[in-house]
Amino acid sequence: AMLHALQDIVNMHQALRMSFSADGKNICVYKDLALNVDYQDLSSLSHEQQQIFIKGYNKNNVLIPFDLANGPLFKTSLFKLADQEHYLTFVAHHIICDGWSIGIMMQDLSKLYSAYTKNEYIHLPEPPLFTNYAIEQLELTESPSYKETELYWLEQFKGSDHLLNIPVDYPRPALRTYKSHREDLVLNGALTNEIRKLGKSAGS
C-alpha cells in the first residue's frame, strides 16, 4: 500500500520528476519516473539496534548529494521494524519542494495509503502543474508591461559599476559537516534605537 501510494505521489507532482541542466537554465520534467525505494527488513534486530541503524543511515543519507542533472531529487527508504510497524524516510532537495509543499504531498500520501490499505480507490484533485506555471512565467517576460518594468530598472542602474563580490573564508567542503560558530556582539543602544526608528519609518 505504501509503495503504491508513493508511486502515485511521484506521478501526481511534477516537482518530484524534475532535474536541472548543468548550467541551471533549463528544467526537465520526466513523463514517467519509476520509484526506487530502499527497503530493508530490520525486524530481526533489537529495538536498540534498529535505532542505531536508522540514526546512522539517516546521517549518511544527508551527506550524499543529489544529482541535479539526472535526478531523482528525492530519496525514499522503508524499514520493516515489526510485522505491523515500518519506518518511512522521505528526503527531498529544497530546489523542488519546501516545508509547505512537502506538507501537501504528505497529506496526499496519507490519503492514498489509507485507501490502498482498504483496497479502495480514491481520486485526489489534480495538483497545479509546474509546466503551466513555467509557460505563464515565460509569457509574462514577453509582455509589454514586463518589458517596461525591466527597462525602468535598467535605466535606474545605468552606469552603475556595483558588483556583488562577497569574500569567503574557506572553500566549501565536499561533505557537509554542519559545524558552526556563534559570535555575540554588543551593539550601541542609541544606534540600535535609531536603526529601529529608521526601519519603522520605512515600513520594514
Side-chain angles (χ1 to χ4, degrees):
M2 180 56 74
L3 295 176
H4 282 304
L6 284 166
Q7 183 65 66
D8 282 356
I9 290 296
V10 173
N11 296 343
M12 283 175 63
H13 296 283
Q14 286 187 330
L16 297 177
R17 304 196 309 275
M18 284 183 180
S19 66
F20 294 76
S21 62
D23 60 7
K25 292 181 179 179
N26 296 293
I27 297 173
C28 172
V29 179
Y30 293 102
K31 184 179 179 182
D32 300 300
L33 184 65
L35 186 67
N36 181 23
V37 178
D38 185 4
Y39 177 82
Q40 298 192 45
D41 187 346
L42 309 180
S43 58
S44 62
L45 302 179
S46 69
H47 176 74
E48 187 180 45
Q49 288 172 321
Q50 289 175 347
Q51 295 307 308
I52 291 170
F53 178 88
I54 290 170
K55 187 177 180 181
Y57 182 94
N58 288 340
K59 187 176 181 181
N60 185 58
N61 204 17
V62 297
L63 292 175
I64 300 171
F66 289 97
D67 183 350
L68 292 177
N70 298 301
L73 301 183
F74 68 94
K75 295 180 264 191
T76 315
S77 58
L78 186 63
F79 303 146
K80 180 181 178 180
L81 306 181
D83 286 342
Q84 297 298 319
E85 186 180 3
H86 289 73
Y87 185 93
L88 173 71
T89 304
F90 187 91
V91 181
H93 195 294
H94 207 295
I95 201 170
I96 61 166
C97 64
D98 56 12
W100 186 272
S101 54
I102 201 88
I104 293 169
M105 290 180 198
M106 291 302 104
Q107 286 179 26
D108 290 344
L109 181 67
S110 176
K111 292 171 187 173
L112 289 163
Y113 170 72
S114 296
Y116 277 122
T117 58
K118 300 170 190 171
N119 290 317
E120 295 175 355
Y121 172 77
I122 183 173
H123 179 73
L124 296 178
E126 292 290 327
L129 298 180
F130 182 83
T131 45
N132 289 347
Y133 171 79
I135 291 167
E136 289 172 9
Q137 186 76 6
L138 195 62
E139 288 173 351
L140 173 67
T141 60
E142 298 299 322
S143 68
S145 61
Y146 182 91
K147 296 288 185 187
E148 186 180 335
T149 304
E150 184 182 45
L151 186 63
Y152 169 81
W153 286 110
L154 288 172
E155 285 295 323
Q156 292 298 310
F157 291 101
K158 200 171 188 177
S160 170
D161 60 354
H162 297 293
L163 295 174
L164 184 63
N165 184 18
I166 302 174
V168 292
D169 296 333
Y170 308 102
R172 181 178 290 184
L175 291 177
R176 287 168 284 190
T177 63
Y178 297 100
K179 290 179 181 175
S180 61
H181 181 71
R182 175 173 165 166
E183 288 283 355
D184 291 305
L185 304 171
V186 179
L187 299 178
N188 178 284
L191 174 64
T192 306
N193 286 332
E194 289 301 314
I195 291 172
R196 282 200 185 108
K197 286 178 187 175
L198 178 63
K200 190 174 181 181
S201 69
S204 64

